[in-house]
DNA sequence: GCTGATAGGTATATCGGTAACCTAACTTGC
DNA sequence: GCAAGTTAGGTTACCGATATACCTATCAGC
C-alpha cells in the first residue's frame, strides 16, 4: 500500500508537505509543488489511512448509528429509512457511518470508544440510560423521538401529540364516535404515549371516551380484535400508532369478514410508501422520515464540527394524508 | 481515555503484558497477573483503540457493505433486509459493518482502502467493474446475485431461473395461457434476465409464447398497462420480477377498475413480509433473504479468517408461496 | 555443576499519519 | 538599511496499539 512517505520520496519533499496538500491546508505549499504532489497522489493511487489519521488527529470522521438489539433492526421500514437516509447524508459530508445494535448503555459506550467515534445517533429508546450515556461520553449524541426530561439533550422528533389529535379529529369529522386504539405499550414508549394522549384529548373535546377495553396491543391478536368487535357498541374505527400495525389490522379484520372501510375504518401513522399500494390505500398521519434523517445527521455533524453549537430539540410537523381507509358515516 | 499504558502502570507490569491479557494470547501470563489485569481493565473502563490496533496489526475487523449510489439504498426492503441481516451477523462475530454507496469501482477501491477494510460484500451490480475490483483489491470480496463469467468469484445468489419456471408453471396450472411480464431491464440486470429466461422456457414447454409487446418495464406506467390490456387477446395474468413491482401493479390495475385476482392474476417475487398484508395477499416466489444475508456475511468472514478457504458460489433455492392473487381459471 | 527448556515477563521498533515548533529566504514598511 | 512579517517548507515527538527480539528465573536431567 502506498503511504505518505512514498509520495514524499517520489516528489522529493517531506511527508508533512504531502500531508498538507492532501488535507488542503491553506497556503503553506506553493502552487507548483502542490500540483506535482496531487499528480503523484493520483498516479500512484494513494489513499490516506483513516486509522492512522484517527490515531494522530484524534478525530475519526466516523459516526455511530445505534439501534436496539432485537433481531434485524432494518426489518422495520422506519428504521431502514432513517438509517439509509442518515448514511447517505453523512457520506456526502465525508463521514462514514458505523452501525451498532445494543441494549444497555455500557455496551454502547464500549462500542463508541473502540473506534473513537466522533458522534452518535440513537434510533429507538435508551430512556433510563440517557443520562449515563451523556455522562460517560464526551462526544455529541443525538437522540431521536426522545421525550427525556433531561435538559441539554439533542433530539430530533415529531409532534406526536398533534398526530394523535389529527387522527381523532379526522375520525370525528367523519362521524365516528365509537373508536378503538391499537399500538405499542404507552407505558414503555413515550412516542406511543404522546400519540395516545393527543388522540384522547381531541376525542374528549367532543365528549367521546376511549376506554381501556378499546385499547389493543400492536401484536394484532385476532382474539383480542374479535373481543372488541363483540362489545355491545362495537367501534366503527381504529387508530393504529404505526402503518405496519394498521396493515396487519386491515388483514386481520378482513380475515374476520370485515371490510375496510365499508364495515370498519382504519387510520395509521407514518405514511410509509407501501401504504399507498395497500388495499385500501391507507389514510394516515404523515411524518417526513427523509427530512428527519437528514436533520439528525446534520445535527450530529454540526455538533461535531462546532463544539460551541447549541443543543437542539427539533420537532417536525405532521399532517393528515387522506386516502381510502376511513369511511364517512355522515354521507 | 484509558490506554494500555494506564492499565500497565496500575498493575505494575509492561504494556505488552496487558495487551496479551486483553487479546487472550494463550499461556504467556500467569493466572495471577491475568486476573489482576482483567480486574483493572473492568474497573478503569479500558476499551482498546481499534484504530491503533488496526494500524499495528494490519487487520481492522471492519467489513464494508457496498450498494449502488442512487438515493437512499435502504428504501428497498430487499436491501434493508440484507444489510441489516449481515450487520447483525457480523456484530455477533465481532466485526463491524461500514456502509458505502458507490457507482464506479475506483470510488469503491478508495473507500475500502481508507479504512483498510478486511473484506467487502456487494449488494447490486458492478458487473463491468468486478474484474478490476478483484485486481485492485487483495482483500476478500463477496458478490451477491452476480452472474459474472469471471471464475474465482465469491457469490451468494438464488436460483433465479427456477424462480421464473415456478411462476410460469403455477400460472399454467391455473389455466392461464395469455400472460404478461413486468420487471426490470433484462439487458441490464442478469437477475431479471434469468428470471425471464426460466419463465419463457416453462411457458414454451406448453407452447405458450411471451411476446415482446407483453413485456412491461417496472416503472409501472399506467398507459403501458392499459395498452397491454387492450390487445385483442388481453393477458389474464402478470408475472412481476419483484414484489414491490407486483404491489404497484395491483394498485394500478385497481385504478383501472380491474380486480385482482377476479379479473386478472398477479404473481410476484421475493416474498417480502408486507405482501402477506396486502390485498389480496400476494402469491409469490419466495427467497430466504435472512439466510442469504447470513451466508454472505459468513462467507466473507470465513475468507478473511482462513486465507486458504476455497472460493464459493452459493445458490439458494426458491419456492412458490401460494396466496390469493392468482385465480384458477379451470375451476 | 552444567545444559537446555520453559514460564513469565520486558524493551524497542513500527504501523501511517498529524500537531507543534523551527528555519531560511524573501518581502514590506518606515 | 533594518525590524517585522510572510511564504514555503522541514523536524521531531507523539497517537495507542502489536510484533519481534530479548532477558531472567526456575527446574529437570544427566
Amino acid at each position: 500500500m502506498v503511504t505518505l512517505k512514498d509520495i514524499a520520496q517520489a516528489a522529493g519533499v517531506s511527508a508533512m508537505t504531502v500531508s498538507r496538500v492532501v488535507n488542503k491546508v491553506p497556503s503553506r505549499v506553493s502552487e507548483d509543488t502542490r500540483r506535482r504532489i496531487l499528480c503523484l497522489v493520483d498516479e500512484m493511487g494513494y489513499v490516506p489511512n483513516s486509522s492512522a489519521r484517527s490515531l494522530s488527529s484524534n478525530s475519526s470522521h466516523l459516526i455511530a448509528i445505534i439501534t436496539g438489539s432485537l433481531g434485524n433492526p432494518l426489518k422495520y421500514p422506519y428504521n431502514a429509512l432513517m438509517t439509509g437516509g442518515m448514511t447517505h447524508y453523512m457520506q456526502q459530508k465525508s463521514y462514514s457511518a458505523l452501525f451498532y445494535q445494543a441494549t444497555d448503555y455500557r455496551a454502547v459506550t464500549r462500542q463508541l470508544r473502540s473506534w473513537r467515534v466522533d458522534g452518535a445517533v440513537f434510533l429507538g429508546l435508551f430512556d433510563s440510560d440517557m443520562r449515563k450515556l451523556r455522562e460517560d461520553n464526551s462526544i455529541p449524541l443525538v437522540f431521536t423521538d426522545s421525550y427525556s426530561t433531561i435538559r441539554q439533550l439533542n433530539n430530533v422528533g415529531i409532534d406526536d401529540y398533534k398526530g394523535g389529535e389529527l387522527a381523532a379529529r379526522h375520525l370525528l369529522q367523519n362521524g365516528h364516535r365509537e373508536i378503538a386504539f391499537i399500538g405499542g405499550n404507552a407505558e414503555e414508549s413515550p412516542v406511543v404515549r404522546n400519540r395516545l394522549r393527543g388522540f384522547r384529548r381531541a376525542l374528549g373535546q367532543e365528549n367521546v371516551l376511549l376506554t381501556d377495553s378499546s385499547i389493543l396491543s400492536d401484536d394484532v391478536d385476532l382474539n383480542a380484535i374479535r373481543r372488541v368487535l363483540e362489545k355491545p357498541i362495537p367501534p366503527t374505527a381504529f387508530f393504529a400508532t404505526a402503518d405496519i400495525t394498521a396493515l396487519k389490522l386491515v388483514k386481520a379484520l378482513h380475515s374476520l369478514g370485515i371490510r375496510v372501510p365499508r364495515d370498519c375504518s382504519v387510520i395509521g401513522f407514518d405514511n410509509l410508501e407501501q401504504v399507498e399500494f395497500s388495499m385500501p390505500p391507507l389514510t394516515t398521519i404523515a411524518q417526513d422520515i427523509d427530512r428527519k434523517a437528514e436533520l439528525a445527521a446534520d445535527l450530529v455533524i454540526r455538533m461535531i464540527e462546532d463544539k460551541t453549537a447549541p443543543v437542539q430539540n427539533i420537532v417536525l410537523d405532521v399532517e393528515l394524508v387522506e386516502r381510502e381507509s376511513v369511511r364517512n358515516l355522515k354521507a
Side-chain angles (χ1 to χ4, degrees), chain A residues 270-308:
Chain A
D270 281 346
N271 196 31
L272 298 178
E273 209 175 88
Q274 56 182 284
V275 304
E276 196 181 337
F277 302 108
S278 70
M279 282 297 301
L282 206 64
T283 292
T284 192
I285 307 300
Q287 63 166 314
D288 190 341
I289 300 180
D290 288 339
R291 187 156 166 64
K292 204 167 162 185
E294 189 175 321
L295 282 171
D298 188 60
L299 182 53
V300 224
I301 292 175
R302 240 195 356 266
M303 301 294 295
I304 290 169
E305 296 184 346
D306 175 8
K307 293 297 176 197
T308 71

Side-chain angles (χ1 to χ4, degrees), chain A residues 35 86 147 209 214 231:
Chain A
R35 251 202 288 274
M86 289 196 287
Y147 283 92
L209 216 68
S214 299
K231 286 170 52 160

Side-chain angles (χ1 to χ4, degrees), chain A residues 67-315:
Chain A
T67 64
S69 75
L70 307 168
N72 179 345
L74 301 186
K75 188 167 87 178
Y76 305 100
Y78 174 83
N79 283 345
L81 287 169
M82 282 292 289
T83 303
M86 289 196 287
T87 307
H88 187 71
Y89 187 80
M90 289 172 184
Q91 195 174 323
Q92 279 175 9
K93 296 278 182 179
S94 75
Y95 283 82
S96 292
L98 217 45
F99 279 13
Y100 287 124
Q101 294 186 281
T103 29
D104 76 305
Y105 83 101
R106 291 184 64 98
V108 171
T109 299
R110 251 200 319 281
Q111 288 164 339
L112 298 184
R113 289 196 182 165
S114 94
W115 280 106
R116 302 297 197 259
V117 150
D118 282 349
V121 181
F122 293 78
L123 290 186
L125 304 162
F126 294 85
D127 210 35
S128 57
D129 294 334
M130 280 188 201
R131 193 186 306 272
K132 286 178 191 153
L133 276 172
R134 272 242 50 94
E135 282 165 9
D136 282 16
N137 302 96
S138 50
I139 58 171
L141 304 180
V142 170
F143 296 88
T144 59
D145 301 311
S146 135
Y147 283 92
S148 173
T149 52
I150 312 170
R151 281 169 314 162
Q152 300 299 321
L153 223 52
N154 291 300
N155 183 58
V156 180
I158 60 168
D159 194 340
D160 289 299
Y161 188 89
K162 177 178 170 189
E165 287 184 320
L166 287 179
R169 286 204 198 108
H170 183 66
L171 293 178
L172 290 168
Q173 270 160 25
N174 282 279
H176 297 273
R177 299 193 57 87
E178 210 53 49
I179 298 174
F181 177 95
I182 182 164
N185 189 324
E187 253 102 77
E188 283 171 13
S189 158
V191 167
V192 172
R193 186 158 57 237
N194 275 290
R195 292 180 189 175
L196 178 55
R197 269 196 202 141
F199 190 65
R200 268 209 162 109
R201 169 88 201 291
L203 290 183
Q205 285 174 338
E206 304 234 357
N207 298 317
V208 172
L209 216 68
L210 182 67
T211 61
D212 283 353
S213 63
S214 299
I215 295 183
L216 298 176
S217 128
D218 62 356
D219 54 14
V220 193
D221 175 37
L222 220 59
N223 288 323
I225 294 171
R226 197 178 288 131
R227 221 172 301 133
V228 170
L229 294 171
E230 281 165 357
K231 286 170 52 160
I233 314 175
T236 60
F238 283 84
F239 170 40
T241 51
D243 282 345
I244 298 284
T245 310
L247 292 179
K248 290 184 182 173
L249 174 65
V250 169
K251 158 132 175 138
L253 289 172
H254 187 71
S255 77
L256 293 173
I258 294 164
R259 301 246 158 210
V260 177
R262 202 193 55 189
D263 309 324
C264 187
S265 297
V266 172
I267 183 166
F269 207 117
D270 281 346
N271 196 31
L272 298 178
E273 209 175 88
Q274 56 182 284
V275 304
E276 196 181 337
F277 302 108
S278 70
M279 282 297 301
L282 206 64
T283 292
T284 192
I285 307 300
Q287 63 166 314
D288 190 341
I289 300 180
D290 288 339
R291 187 156 166 64
K292 204 167 162 185
E294 189 175 321
L295 282 171
D298 188 60
L299 182 53
V300 224
I301 292 175
R302 240 195 356 266
M303 301 294 295
I304 290 169
E305 296 184 346
D306 175 8
K307 293 297 176 197
T308 71
V311 167
Q312 285 199 38
N313 184 13
I314 299 174
V315 178

Side-chain angles (χ1 to χ4, degrees), chain A residues 16-31 33-34 38:
Chain A
M16 201 55 224
T17 303
V18 180
S19 170
R20 285 189 184 116
V21 170
V22 171
N23 292 296
K24 303 191 181 68
V25 175
S27 72
R28 297 271 323 232
V29 185
S30 71
E31 189 53 30
T33 42
R34 210 181 68 85
L38 281 179

Side-chain angles (χ1 to χ4, degrees), chain A residues 55-72:
Chain A
L55 195 57
S56 72
S57 74
N58 215 22
S59 123
S60 61
H61 263 231
L62 238 36
I63 297 174
I65 297 176
I66 297 176
T67 64
S69 75
L70 307 168
N72 179 345

